[in-house]
Amino acid sequence: MALIPVESLQYFENMIYLPMVLIVLERDRQEFEKGSFKLKRPYVNLVEEALKVVRAELKQTSIYLRRNNMKVIRGKTDGTFTEYLFLHGGYEERRRYLNVRLRNRTEELITIYLAMTAT
C-alpha cells in the first residue's frame, strides 16, 4: 500500500519537473536573445509568457506543499537514475526516476506550456 495519496503525487512531481522546465526555458530565452535571429522578439515573448505560467504553477504547488506539510528532497543521482524523497504526513517514500524519463517529461511539459501561450 502506498503511504502517499495518489492526488498528492501530482504536486510532488510538479516540484521535480517545474524547476527543470524553468531552467530550460530561461536558457532558451538567453539563446534567443543572443542568437542571430532576424526577428527575436516573437520567440523571446513566447518563452517569457511560458515562463510566467510555469512560475505561477510552481508558486501554487509550493503553497499546496507548505499547507499540507509536504516536502521533496532530491537524493542521489547516477548516470541512469535520480532519487527523490517525498515527505508527507510523517511518512517518507523514496522514488527513483529514470533520467531519460525526467528529460522526456520536461520536454513534454515545455511543449505544453509553449502551446498554451501561443494561442
Side-chain angles (χ1 to χ4, degrees):
M1 182 177 128
L3 300 173
I4 296 179
V6 176
E7 62 272 5
S8 296
L9 189 57
Q10 166 192 348
Y11 293 98
F12 281 122
E13 290 194 341
N14 275 352
M15 286 306 291
I16 294 171
Y17 292 115
L18 293 181
M20 289 183 201
V21 170
L22 282 176
I23 290 168
V24 172
L25 288 175
E26 286 285 352
R27 287 182 186 164
D28 289 351
R29 182 176 49 114
Q30 290 172 357
E31 289 300 317
F32 282 127
E33 288 172 348
K34 290 189 297 187
S36 60
F37 296 93
K38 189 97 171 167
L39 301 170
K40 298 177 186 182
R41 196 172 339 147
Y43 303 108
V44 172
N45 289 343
L46 182 65
V47 172
E48 284 178 351
E49 288 301 314
L51 280 166
K52 286 179 191 176
V53 173
V54 173
R55 285 186 186 116
E57 200 165 311
L58 184 58
K59 183 178 180 179
Q60 291 302 317
T61 300
S62 296
I63 290 169
Y64 179 88
L65 290 179
R66 200 172 326 112
R67 286 182 179 158
N68 291 288
N69 204 19
M70 299 163 54
K71 193 169 188 180
V72 176
I73 300 172
R74 186 173 182 192
K76 295 181 260 178
T77 300
D78 60 27
T80 308
F81 291 97
T82 301
E83 184 177 273
Y84 290 92
L85 177 64
F86 297 162
L87 304 170
H88 182 358
Y91 294 105
E92 293 182 3
E93 186 174 326
R94 291 187 189 278
R95 290 186 174 228
R96 291 171 39 127
Y97 288 82
L98 192 62
N99 290 339
V100 172
R101 173 67 181 137
L102 292 171
R103 185 193 70 226
N104 290 342
R105 181 63 181 149
T106 301
E107 186 175 336
E108 288 172 19
L109 289 171
I110 289 171
T111 302
I112 290 167
Y113 288 116
L114 289 174
M116 283 173 45
T117 58
T119 54

